[in-house]
Amino acid sequence: MRILIVEDDRLLGDGLCQGLRASGFSADWLTDGAAADAALAAGDVDLIVLDLGLPGRDGLHWLRHWRRRAERVPVLILTARGELAERIAGLDAGADDYLVKPVPLAELAARIRALLRRSHARPEPVWTHGALRFETDSRRVFWRGRPVELAPRETALLELLLASPQRVLSRATLQQRLYHFEQDIDSNALEVHVHHLRRKLHPAIVRTVRGVGYALGPADAGSAR
Ligand code: CA
């Protein structure tokens, strides 16, 4: 899942970005709202962590701007502004959650996971699909009850497919949500991850939709026989 962090404090922004990447997210860190607005317009973003005190227009301005144009991306405000009136204003401007700094990384990651589950209409913390079981908190994967070792990006790809089980996800969408800005994307990398998922789980777990992208395979993939 791709997270944009909008934070002008360099130490905090860098720390959040590294911490969220270590928690399994594809995270990018930007230092002002205009850059976040451009990133949002340019591609798929699953969630924004938004500071309020920013250079130029503040976070509330950008949040209102996004909601006015019916941008549905979940926004979690993470700010030093902790007054009751400020928290209410943030939520009423369209934020999905409001946290006052400092917040332990583990709690921030858990709140992000909760918002992402809701935004994908899969509120249950454990996602199952036939013989497959994915624990969204620990990011552990099981096939027919047995744990399966997946590389972090293989897990991230599986998570994206499970989050939208009815959808065909284009190659561009998957690449944008799997990789952050600075990463060079090998054009074959996606195919390699798909290949590994099929090998480690089941050949039918990922369906290729020719000329478009990939979708989750049928739930009965790997059922008895
Ligand atoms: Ca700030």
Side-chain angles (χ1 to χ4, degrees):
M1 301 283 175
R2 179 142 176 265
I3 314 291
L4 286 186
I5 300 157
V6 190
E7 171 61 66
D8 62 321
D9 179 314
R10 299 202 160 260
L11 202 60
L12 181 58
D14 187 50
L16 283 174
C17 191
Q18 301 306 328
L20 290 181
R21 284 179 188 172
S23 306
F25 301 105
S26 169
D28 281 301
W29 163 44
L30 303 165
T31 53
D32 66 81
D37 189 50
L40 200 52
D44 291 273
V45 174
D46 291 291
L47 183 142
I48 297 178
V49 175
L50 182 66
D51 182 24
L52 292 184
L54 292 169
R57 305 280 206 158
D58 76 356
L60 270 188
H61 162 86
W62 289 107
L63 176 57
R64 291 196 177 106
H65 175 71
W66 295 329
R67 294 310 186 218
R68 257 200 311 274
R69 66 168 197 232
E71 186 63 69
R72 296 167 64 99
V73 64
V75 173
L76 183 157
I77 290 177
L78 178 60
T79 178
R81 300 180 187 172
E83 297 292 327
L84 176 63
E86 293 168 324
R87 301 200 307 265
I88 291 171
L91 291 165
D92 281 344
D96 299 277
D97 202 352
Y98 193 110
L99 296 176
V100 179
K101 295 168 183 170
V103 175
L105 178 69
E107 181 181 353
L108 177 65
R111 287 183 183 265
I112 289 173
R113 286 194 295 269
L115 291 176
L116 290 174
R117 287 195 302 266
R118 297 253 159 226
S119 75
H120 287 105
R122 296 209 69 170
E124 67 278 20
V126 176
W127 293 354
T128 57
H129 184 75
L132 180 69
R133 176 185 164 90
F134 174 62
E135 298 179 352
T136 60
D137 54 351
S138 67
R139 307 187 66 69
R140 289 192 303 169
V141 175
F142 299 84
W143 182 259
R144 290 188 182 145
R146 290 209 192 88
V148 180
E149 286 295 324
L150 296 180
R153 199 143 288 132
E154 293 161 12
T155 307
L157 172 59
L158 184 66
E159 181 181 31
L160 288 172
L161 294 168
L162 283 167
S164 306
Q166 316 297 340
R167 278 183 60 200
V168 178
L169 298 171
S170 72
R171 295 175 47 85
T173 287
L174 288 170
Q175 282 173 340
Q176 281 173 3
R177 291 160 104 174
L178 285 175
Y179 296 91
H180 45 84
F181 293 156
E182 308 99 271
Q183 283 177 315
D184 283 330
I185 306 172
D186 175 344
S187 60
N188 290 322
L190 192 55
E191 279 70 21
V192 173
H193 299 323
V194 168
H195 172 77
H196 286 163
L197 285 182
R198 286 174 174 155
R199 185 168 55 77
K200 293 178 181 180
L201 295 168
H202 188 275
I205 194 69
V206 184
R207 190 161 59 87
T208 301
V209 182
R210 216 168 284 276
V212 185
Y214 295 101
L216 194 64
D220 61 2
S223 62
R225 223 171 69 86

